[in-house]
Amino acid sequence: MPIGLLTPLSASLGVSVGSVGLMVTAQGLAAGLGVPFIVAWTRRVNRRRLLTTLLAVLAVGNLITSITSITSIAANYPLILGTRLIMGFASGVFWAIGVSMAMIPSLPSLPSANAVSVREVFELPVRNVPLRLVLVMVVFFVLGHFGAYTFVRPYLEDSTSATVGFITVVLIVFGTGGAIGNFIGGQTVNKSLRGSFIVGGLIMIAALVMLLTIGTYDFGVIAAMILWGLAFGVVQLSQINMTLSAAPETFEAAMSLNTMAYNTCIALGALIGGLFADHVGVTSVVWFGIVLVALAVILRASTGRRTTPAI
């Protein structure tokens, strides 16, 4: 939500675009740093009850954020940041345990099957080399993607003088591309998990280059954003499946580490992108995205096909 509203939030709250990006940073930081501990501490809590509580926290947090944003009072900015911080803890845990619950549509009463202690969670990447490599790839990919995507609205307003209506269309196009990418990824990850990640990353890089080169035209923006969304859908699904392949017996613990890396890098990506946007210009955040996603692709391409856990 903040990504599509950075400019008006900046104006209504009386802070810079980079500072508004801290709304993304706060939630990502809390989700990333808190998830391994909360997942482990709640390992004896019924997962259906926990998911219900987390959803309630997120609903209340979104309501508070919406109300305080609409009132347009500068003093509300600290309240919004605090609310996003609390929401981060809830969203991080929901992400970590929700993925492993996704194949139970009606979500019956469900005790945790493979949760482990905090110490065991942090020991996983030490003794599991494939999982460690996956986490590093996630760091590069998420830093690059969210460093650029968080500031897509200011970029479009600066480079194309885009209207609010056009930006809305662009974000819908990106979401549509993401849905298509998820569908495509669902077909390709079973055939070539490594290839899906690499090709998806290359498409994302191409989309960002398109945004820089033909992004001054409406058709160029639309084409770039649908490709970007499609690539994100494929890479996102690939990295989750890489985590599962690297640690199938401790997937919930591995996903908590994945979520920690992912959300911490959302926070850092938004923070670094904000610094670039405020001090260098919003175009620089696109280049930042290109470089970091390229590093993720290079690492995946150079680590071979091994995805099973180390003994």
Side-chain angles (χ1 to χ4, degrees), residues 90-209:
S91 65
V93 178
F94 185 90
W95 195 345
I97 68 174
V99 170
S100 60
M101 304 295 105
M103 70 290 292
I104 306 165
S106 61
L107 199 60
S109 179
L110 194 62
S112 176
N114 61 4
V116 297
S117 67
V118 173
R119 180 178 60 82
E120 292 173 296
V121 169
F122 285 104
E123 284 180 351
L124 276 179
V126 175
R127 51 189 171 82
N128 188 326
V129 176
L131 178 60
R132 185 163 68 242
L133 291 172
V134 169
L135 293 177
V136 175
M137 291 174 213
V138 168
V139 167
F140 288 147
F141 154 62
V142 179
L143 278 175
H145 168 74
F146 281 97
Y149 183 67
T150 300
F151 297 94
V152 68
R153 176 170 181 163
Y155 173 79
L156 292 178
E157 290 175 334
D158 184 67
S159 63
T160 67
S161 300
T163 64
V164 173
F166 182 70
I167 290 171
T168 301
V169 171
V170 164
L171 294 177
I172 291 173
V173 164
F174 177 87
T176 302
I180 296 171
N182 269 294
F183 177 78
I184 294 173
Q187 309 303 311
T188 62
V189 292
N190 292 324
K191 298 176 181 178
S192 176
L193 183 54
R194 177 171 176 264
S196 296
F197 186 91
I198 293 172
V199 173
L202 290 174
I203 293 174
M204 186 176 293
I205 293 169
L208 292 172
V209 171

